[in-house]
Amino acid sequence: PSRGDSVDIKVNSGSILGQTLDLKNFNIDLKSIDLNKPVIKVYAFGGGQEDPEFADKLFDDFMHIKVDELSIQEGFFLITDPDEPIRNDGSIDLKHLTLKDIDLDLSNVIVDTDSIASLINSARMIEPHGLAIQEFAGDLILDNYHLAIDELDLQTANSHFRDKLLLEYDDISDFGKIETDVLFSIDLQNSKIATYDLALFVSAMKKLKMAELKPERLIHATGKLKGTFDNLRGKNLDVRFGNNTHFKGDADIMGLPDINESFIDINANSFTTTTSDFESLFPSYSLPLSIRTMGPIHYEGQVTGFLNDFVANGLVSSDFGQIDADVNLKLVGDDVIYTGEIETYQFDVSRLTGDDKIGKVSLVTTVKGKNFSIDEAEVLLDGTIQQLEYNGYLYNNLLVDGSL
């Protein structure tokens, strides 16, 4: 802990059934501990100075405590940094975390001089913003610098996480600054994440109406996540959403929980989606009718930047054809502004524009424009049309420098 931190503990009632009680050597063996309505409040001041002698003072001598069974009913836990302002955006504030109605069933609890180990048979709790943990089980190991849970099985009302969790920290008081000072390592195996639960940590998702409880708004994920909450890296990700969306690759995000100010770096080995899945995930957006007829859309490449200002460098394939693009896109109000370089391969412009006179086009050009629909598009091109089908004729090697 840091100097100035404090912990308040109260227990309404409970019982302890002993077996061995050797206080002289601090060797305690208990059959059971049962606690009713315990209250634990941790006040972790982020500006406090770490006390490096704490562990030495607390564990100056050898200690061994073993508890066969430990249970808690209707517990309450709070960890807060009184120096930090409280967020009021409807999302979970990790700097002021509250858990209530905690029911806990542990076995084989072993407390040694500098570590705690236990089998978590079952745990249930509620976070007041709407996150209800209905089942939580795994093998726990906790020491001065790590918290590890193997064989993790965590279920909320909507999500299901499996496999491993590791938290690393310099001092237990770092949990008072969990967004920035606690390093997460998570192995996901066939986990199911509801956008509703995700939005409890990323408030902007609610504004985009991404948090409604619908079956198609479940994300199925396998892969590795590592980093602090505000600087998270995803490796070997395999993510599925809706009926046709599938992503394989790596993704880093820096700046959470404010998704609008977060920097995103995505390397898509393979990404496939459809317009129906896109509109299901982002129901506040309405795509032009011409875009909706593209069929499955496949992308390989990188996406770097912010949600409203990013660079896409990769190959897009659809029923319309292929586009190799290195383009910056900006979302400004209701407009999409773009600039960069594109190369098309037999791209069917007629299906995009609805103009039967224009057929397939292959070109290499710089592009600068705004919007995509025929009625609103403003586009400047400077390059070469390698091949163009127009009004039944085939044209080759045309120079283009102008607007469409």
Side-chain angles (χ1 to χ4, degrees):
S2 301
R3 296 182 178 94
D5 294 349
S6 65
V7 179
D8 293 342
I9 300 177
K10 298 179 182 178
V11 178
N12 184 62
S13 61
S15 63
I16 299 176
L17 182 60
Q19 191 162 271
T20 301
L21 189 61
D22 182 358
L23 296 180
K24 180 179 179 180
N25 297 306
F26 219 150
N27 184 13
I28 301 172
D29 190 350
L30 303 176
K31 292 192 68 66
S32 66
I33 297 177
D34 183 58
L35 304 177
N36 184 41
K37 296 183 179 180
V39 175
I40 301 176
K41 297 181 180 180
V42 180
Y43 300 91
F45 292 86
Q49 296 181 342
E50 293 184 3
D51 186 354
E53 299 178 355
F54 174 78
D56 292 337
K57 290 185 291 185
L58 183 62
F59 303 124
D60 206 18
D61 298 314
F62 174 78
M63 175 177 66
H64 178 82
I65 301 174
K66 182 177 181 297
V67 182
D68 292 341
E69 302 289 341
L70 188 153
S71 63
I72 291 175
Q73 296 85 40
E74 298 183 60
F76 178 91
F77 175 79
L78 167 71
I79 182 167
T80 183
D81 184 348
D83 291 337
E84 291 288 338
I86 298 175
R87 287 208 309 263
N88 293 305
D89 56 7
S91 64
I92 295 174
D93 189 347
L94 296 178
K95 295 178 181 177
H96 305 277
L97 179 63
T98 299
L99 300 172
K100 62 179 184 178
D101 297 335
I102 301 172
D103 291 332
L104 189 62
D105 177 16
L106 306 180
S107 61
N108 297 323
V109 181
I110 298 175
V111 181
D112 283 322
T113 302
D114 57 359
S115 67
I116 300 173
S118 176
L119 176 63
I120 305 173
N121 299 311
S122 177
R124 298 178 179 86
M125 61 200 72
I126 295 174
E127 197 284 330
H129 289 88
L131 184 66
I133 297 177
Q134 297 184 336
E135 191 59 54
F136 179 23
D139 296 331
L140 168 70
I141 297 178
L142 171 67
D143 60 31
N144 291 332
Y145 307 105
H146 307 86
L147 187 157
I149 301 177
D150 286 336
E151 304 296 331
L152 173 67
D153 189 350
L154 188 155
Q155 299 181 50
T156 73
N158 316 296
S159 303
H160 192 179
F161 297 87
R162 295 186 178 93
D163 210 359
K164 298 178 181 179
L165 170 67
L166 172 65
L167 306 183
E168 299 177 86
Y169 40 85
D170 294 328
D171 186 274
I172 198 69
S173 65
D174 286 348
F175 280 91
K177 299 174 287 184
I178 191 171
E179 293 177 358
T180 58
D181 288 10
V182 177
L183 182 68
F184 292 78
S185 296
I186 305 172
D187 284 352
L188 299 175
Q189 292 296 328
N190 300 317
S191 295
K192 179 179 68 175
I193 307 166
T195 56
Y196 175 87
D197 289 341
L198 196 58
L200 293 174
F201 296 91
V202 184
S203 60
M205 292 178 62
K206 294 184 179 181
K207 297 177 182 178
L208 295 174
K209 298 181 180 179
M210 295 170 61
E212 296 179 23
L213 288 177
K214 294 183 178 180
E216 65 269 24
R217 294 192 188 165
L218 292 176
I219 300 170
H220 300 263
T222 295
K224 298 180 182 294
L225 298 175
K226 187 171 183 178
T228 56
F229 185 70
D230 69 340
N231 188 4
L232 200 57
R233 302 185 302 276
K235 301 297 181 185
N236 301 319
L237 299 176
D238 189 321
V239 180
R240 297 177 184 270
F241 174 84
N243 296 317
N244 302 290
T245 299
H246 186 194
F247 171 85
K248 297 180 74 173
D250 303 329
D252 301 345
I253 182 166
M254 293 161 279
L256 290 176
D258 189 347
I259 188 66
N260 291 318
E261 296 297 327
S262 294
F263 185 84
I264 300 169
D265 187 1
I266 298 173
N267 184 14
N269 298 327
S270 175
F271 174 62
T272 302
T273 190
T274 59
T275 55
S276 59
D277 276 0
F278 177 88
E279 291 182 325
S280 173
L281 184 61
F282 300 99
S284 58
Y285 287 95
S286 179
L287 295 172
L289 180 61
S290 58
I291 299 296
R292 295 178 185 174
T293 62
M294 292 182 72
I297 302 168
H298 183 76
Y299 179 75
E300 295 180 17
Q302 293 181 311
V303 177
T304 305
F306 302 88
L307 284 183
N308 60 355
D309 185 358
F310 60 89
V311 173
N313 184 0
L315 181 65
V316 182
S317 305
S318 72
D319 291 348
F320 288 9
Q322 291 186 330
I323 300 177
D324 194 348
D326 185 0
V327 179
N328 171 233
L329 294 96
K330 292 182 172 68
L331 307 181
V332 182
D334 294 329
D335 294 325
V336 180
I337 299 173
Y338 44 90
T339 180
E341 299 178 355
I342 62 171
E343 183 173 357
T344 68
Y345 309 92
Q346 295 293 300
F347 191 81
D348 195 343
V349 177
S350 65
R351 295 183 61 180
L352 180 65
T353 64
D355 187 345
D356 293 337
K357 292 183 179 181
I358 304 178
K360 296 180 179 180
V361 177
S362 298
L363 60 81
V364 179
T365 184
T366 61
V367 61
K368 183 176 182 180
K370 180 171 70 174
N371 299 325
F372 297 103
S373 66
I374 300 303
D375 295 335
E376 298 180 351
E378 302 174 11
V379 185
L380 292 173
L381 300 177
D382 183 6
T384 301
I385 299 178
Q386 299 164 324
Q387 192 173 84
L388 167 65
E389 295 176 356
Y390 184 77
N391 203 23
Y393 293 92
L394 186 63
Y395 298 88
N396 296 288
N397 299 320
L398 303 176
L399 298 179
V400 57
D401 184 2
S403 61
L404 297 179

